[in-house]
Amino acid sequence: MNGGGLLVAGTTSDAGKSVVTAGICRWLVRQGVKVAPFKGQNMSLNSFVTREGAEIGRAQAMQAQACRVEPSALMNPVLLKPGGDRTSQVVLKGRPVGELSARGFFGTGDARLGTGLHGGGREALLATVVECLEELRSSHDAVICEGAGSPAEINLRRTDLVNMGIARAARLPVLVVGDIDRGGVFASFFGTTALLAPEDQALLAGYLVNKFRGDVSLLEPGLDMLRSLTGRRTYGVLPFRHGLGIDEEDGLAVSLRGAVRESAVSEPAGPQVLRVAVCAVPLMSNFTDVDALAAEPGVVVRFVDRAAELADADLVIVPGTRGTVRALGWLRERGLAGALARRAAEGRPVLGICGGFQLLGERIEDEVESRAGTVEGLGLLPLRVRFAREKTLGRPHGEAFGERVEGYEIHHGLAEVTGGEAFLDGCRSGSVWGTHWHGSLESDGFRRAFLREVAAVAGRRFVPAPGTSFAALREQQLDHLGDLIEEHADTDALWRLIESGPPADLPFVPPGAP
């Protein structure tokens, strides 16, 4: 017998689906429920590698942590990684199977796919998505699914497999989340419902208001009117909370010159702060690599896109990217390449991660990602990179600065290091470090040792705080999400929905969609 299920949809992208899904998962696991997360299809450059070497979206990995289970390829069977030429790499059950254009993905052909995917288009993927969901439901008491964008994207409904497509195929009740902080939430709830076909409306059980500021009693008349118009209840009103940004899938939750997330910088343990500038390269991937730095008291992290913004940085990070050659050109066009070269010549710290590591080398041979052939790198590290068609996916571990380090690898580029000092799988040359390892800065001892070295090289009197645990901070954040659900949602009604499915008496709201 399959376990219960729920699909968390949204009125818009970034309405809070990932946060609400994680919060419901953490609330359920604290009640002793064996629960798993699921998202049929992600479009994201922010990904993670499971212990079995499968690539999935970071949001689902974080939601798995909320469930206190190991992430699995079953939790995100289709991952699309956008490229620079209107195509996306298709990752199916954790393995890349080829490139697909938007036209091909929406069912009109024009695909460059390997043998792992037959037929092209979303319709060919729905069976796989349903199979993965059913496998999870067979081994868990509940599976909490996350939608994408809006379920009322009527131009895409025919080939949808992540919103009402999977809901109808698996008979899942649907909860629609709306961000009231953006305004127009009542119109969004009503319009979303009224644009769905009758068969889809029969699954849309109700609504959840997110990011409310103020007195809930002032909202209640509107909620009552919404129920009389749609025949659907609101399952909760979640208050606005700062600092609950999690591993987003679609892009930065910050401006290029803003702080990471919404978190304030804690007072430094020593006399000075440490300033970190992250180059906001095109097609940036795994920007969450710097979250652990932002969690350190006294470390100020910002994303930058101008050469002048590197001047006062104690450490500059060139992050991962799905377009290494494109990012290299962007750095040169904006004068950032020259600024990085001057930093290296002056002995000022630079760290390259994955694609950022590759472009710091002497030469790149790329017939796979950009098909640009041989391209000259920035020449700040002694390495040459050759792109292979086979993607490297792994969970490496090792030691640096006398501390144990764990990370994960996601890259096509193979690096041949020809000099310098060993640094993780990469190298160090003077004040420039480079590695393919994502997530290494989440290893607390290594992060503190690395920051001490950076501060010494930069001439800053920065002292890492001795007790910062990134894992503990992440757990605390997930518990806050669980608290939001437990304290501000009708959890008894939510559980009935998960266990028993949508109410049988949900009325049709015209006009509907064909």
Side-chain angles (χ1 to χ4, degrees), residues 434-475:
T435 177
H436 272 132
W437 293 14
H438 294 290
S440 62
L441 294 167
E442 295 180 16
S443 298
D444 296 327
F446 165 73
R447 181 180 65 255
R448 287 192 281 269
F450 177 68
L451 290 177
R452 280 193 293 270
E453 178 71 8
V454 166
V457 173
R460 296 288 288 178
R461 292 180 295 151
F462 168 80
V463 179
T468 304
S469 167
F470 185 73
L473 289 171
R474 173 56 57 85
E475 275 295 300

Side-chain angles (χ1 to χ4, degrees), residues 166-200:
I166 187 65
R168 198 189 293 190
R171 300 301 302 168
L172 293 172
V174 178
L175 183 70
V176 177
V177 178
D179 180 356
I180 197 170
D181 200 47
R182 294 183 173 188
V185 74
F186 292 114
S188 298
F189 282 146
F190 181 85
T192 297
T193 308
L195 281 176
L196 297 180
E199 296 84 354
D200 292 341

Side-chain angles (χ1 to χ4, degrees), residues 85-435:
D85 56 354
R86 299 185 184 180
T87 66
S88 292
Q89 183 180 68
V90 180
V91 180
L92 185 64
K93 296 179 71 172
R95 299 291 174 183
V97 295
E99 297 283 331
L100 188 63
S101 71
R103 288 178 59 204
F105 190 67
F106 289 101
T108 58
D110 189 21
R112 296 192 301 274
L113 293 169
T115 57
L117 180 62
H118 302 283
R122 290 190 178 190
E123 293 173 337
L125 299 172
L126 182 58
T128 297
V129 170
V130 172
E131 287 169 9
C132 290
L133 174 58
E134 293 308 305
E135 187 171 343
L136 281 176
R137 293 180 75 182
S138 69
S139 56
H140 292 80
D141 301 326
V143 176
I144 308 303
C145 308
E146 180 186 346
S150 163
E153 292 169 344
I154 54 179
N155 56 315
L156 306 179
R157 176 62 186 91
R158 182 180 61 83
T159 51
D160 169 61
L161 58 81
V162 68
N163 290 308
M164 302 313 299
I166 187 65
R168 198 189 293 190
R171 300 301 302 168
L172 293 172
V174 178
L175 183 70
V176 177
V177 178
D179 180 356
I180 197 170
D181 200 47
R182 294 183 173 188
V185 74
F186 292 114
S188 298
F189 282 146
F190 181 85
T192 297
T193 308
L195 281 176
L196 297 180
E199 296 84 354
D200 292 341
Q201 287 196 26
L203 301 172
L204 199 163
Y207 315 107
L208 187 76
V209 176
N210 192 29
K211 297 185 182 179
F212 179 69
R213 306 174 191 249
D215 185 346
V216 176
S217 67
L218 299 177
L219 194 66
E220 288 172 351
L223 300 179
D224 291 340
M225 189 176 298
L226 181 67
R227 185 164 189 170
S228 68
L229 288 168
T230 67
R232 289 159 175 84
R233 59 167 298 171
T234 298
Y235 283 76
V237 178
L238 307 185
F240 187 96
R241 291 286 187 268
H242 284 284
L244 289 182
I246 53 171
D247 296 358
E248 294 95 342
E249 61 186 41
D250 294 326
L252 293 171
V254 296
S255 70
L256 291 178
R257 298 173 189 82
V260 174
R261 306 288 190 265
E262 298 167 329
S263 58
V265 178
S266 303
E267 289 296 316
Q272 291 184 323
V273 300
L274 196 74
R275 300 158 300 190
V276 179
V278 184
C279 296
V281 296
L283 299 175
M284 189 190 312
S285 62
N286 293 78
F287 54 84
T288 47
D289 282 336
V290 301
D291 281 1
L293 291 182
E296 279 286 343
V299 176
V300 181
V301 179
R302 59 183 178 176
F303 288 86
V304 303
D305 61 352
R306 299 177 185 177
E309 294 175 301
L310 303 189
D312 65 348
D314 303 309
L315 170 66
V316 173
I317 295 178
V318 187
T321 171
R322 170 86 161 93
T324 301
V325 170
R326 177 178 171 182
L328 183 57
W330 181 85
L331 289 169
R332 285 179 168 137
E333 289 166 7
R334 301 190 71 86
L336 287 158
L340 289 169
R342 289 190 293 275
R343 286 187 67 88
E346 294 165 1
R348 303 176 66 196
V350 175
L351 170 65
I353 301 174
C354 199
F357 165 49
Q358 294 167 4
L359 61 80
L360 292 178
E362 299 163 352
R363 188 179 70 202
I364 299 169
E365 297 177 21
D366 182 10
E367 300 292 350
V368 176
E369 190 175 78
S370 68
R371 300 178 181 84
T374 300
V375 178
E376 182 181 351
L378 296 186
L380 306 186
L381 286 175
L383 74 137
R384 298 166 184 169
V385 176
R386 178 181 58 83
F387 274 68
R389 297 199 177 277
E390 187 72 19
K391 181 184 282 191
T392 297
L393 296 169
R395 292 280 292 271
H397 57 84
E399 188 175 291
F401 301 111
E403 300 285 350
R404 181 173 173 79
V405 192
E406 296 182 357
Y408 56 99
E409 293 182 275
I410 309 169
H411 55 91
H412 284 277
L414 304 177
E416 178 191 356
V417 176
T418 59
E421 304 171 33
F423 177 70
L424 303 180
D425 71 331
C427 63
R428 174 186 183 178
S429 178
S431 63
V432 182
W433 292 264
T435 177

